[in-house]
Amino acid sequence: EAGVTQFPSHSVIEKGQTVTLRCDPISGHDNLYWYRRVMGKEIKFLLHFVKESKQDESGMPNNRFLAERTGGTYSTLKVQPAELEDSGVYFCASSQIAGVPADTQYFGPGTRLTVL
Amino acid sequence: RKEVEQDPGPFNVPEGATVAFNCTYSNSASQSFFWYRQDCRKEPKLLMSVYSSGNEDGRFTAQLNRASQYISLLIRDSKLSDSATYLCVSIPRGSGAGSYQLTFGKGTKLSVIP
């Protein structure tokens, strides 16, 4: 069974540009999460989808970040315009069962974003 | 104060040694706890869940002490392949209805030396 996939694996952009990250969860997983690790800090939660609905977006840093999950399958995370402090590794995770908080979250390999 | 705190290490231990990692959490309402393992430049992977009664999986034993808000991971007979960063993780209750967000510690780095 294929795991969580993310694209691209690396992205280098200039400040002020736009970047879109994509995540394909494990097939059949209703829950999709975005997390971010900024250098030197711990991994932090950004938001959680249940199917196509945003269940919790309390971790989104500001309105420069827009996440979508049209059709409840893959998700995109757009950063517009990117700032230097947005650099880090963006992880996507998915879990199968809606309504079970402790259900295992499987992580993708991450997208390493560098904003110059 | 960080929600989940860990000693960053590094812990450098010889093969075959026993090593223990500790973690404290600040949210007394936290309900679920886990240890994740992260290899260099890779994604975190679930190592094991942590239960109040303690649980064991082969060479790995996890313990939860709710009174002290303390979680531990014990690795016996360390292997070279155990070298990684170990992340202490909780799901803080009250972070939002239906929220399953994981809260991570910064991780403890383990190097097992031949």
Side-chain angles (χ1 to χ4, degrees), chain B residues 33-75:
Chain B
F33 305 90
F34 312 90
W35 283 100
Y36 273 72
R37 171 197 168 126
Q38 186 174 25
D39 293 288
C40 187
R41 293 187 166 257
K42 298 283 189 177
E43 70 272 22
K45 291 184 178 178
L46 179 66
L47 178 66
M48 57 198 304
S49 301
V50 187
Y51 306 114
S52 296
S53 54
N55 48 304
E56 190 173 309
D57 183 2
R59 298 181 294 108
F60 299 84
T61 300
Q63 290 277 354
L64 166 63
N65 183 322
R66 287 194 183 273
S68 302
Q69 294 182 205
Y70 170 99
I71 301 158
S72 65
L73 176 68
L74 183 77
I75 305 175

Side-chain angles (χ1 to χ4, degrees), chain A residues 2 5 18 20 22 24 28 35-36 39 44-45 53-55 57 60 62 69 74 79 82 85-86 95-96 105 112:
Chain A
T5 58
T18 297
T20 300
R22 172 171 170 145
D24 286 77
Y35 293 86
R36 174 174 77 169
M39 189 186 296
K44 287 201 166 175
F45 169 82
S53 300
K54 289 178 186 173
Q55 180 75 18
E57 51 185 328
M60 293 288 263
N62 52 61
R69 192 182 183 197
Y74 70 91
V79 185
E85 64 265 25
D86 300 332
S95 67
Q96 184 172 19
Q105 294 187 25
R112 188 171 297 273

Side-chain angles (χ1 to χ4, degrees), chain B residues 80-102:
Chain B
L80 296 177
S81 56
D82 294 335
S83 297
T85 296
Y86 290 83
L87 305 169
C88 180
V89 181
S90 72
I91 295 180
R93 192 176 193 182
S95 51
S99 173
Y100 309 163
Q101 58 174 277
L102 300 180

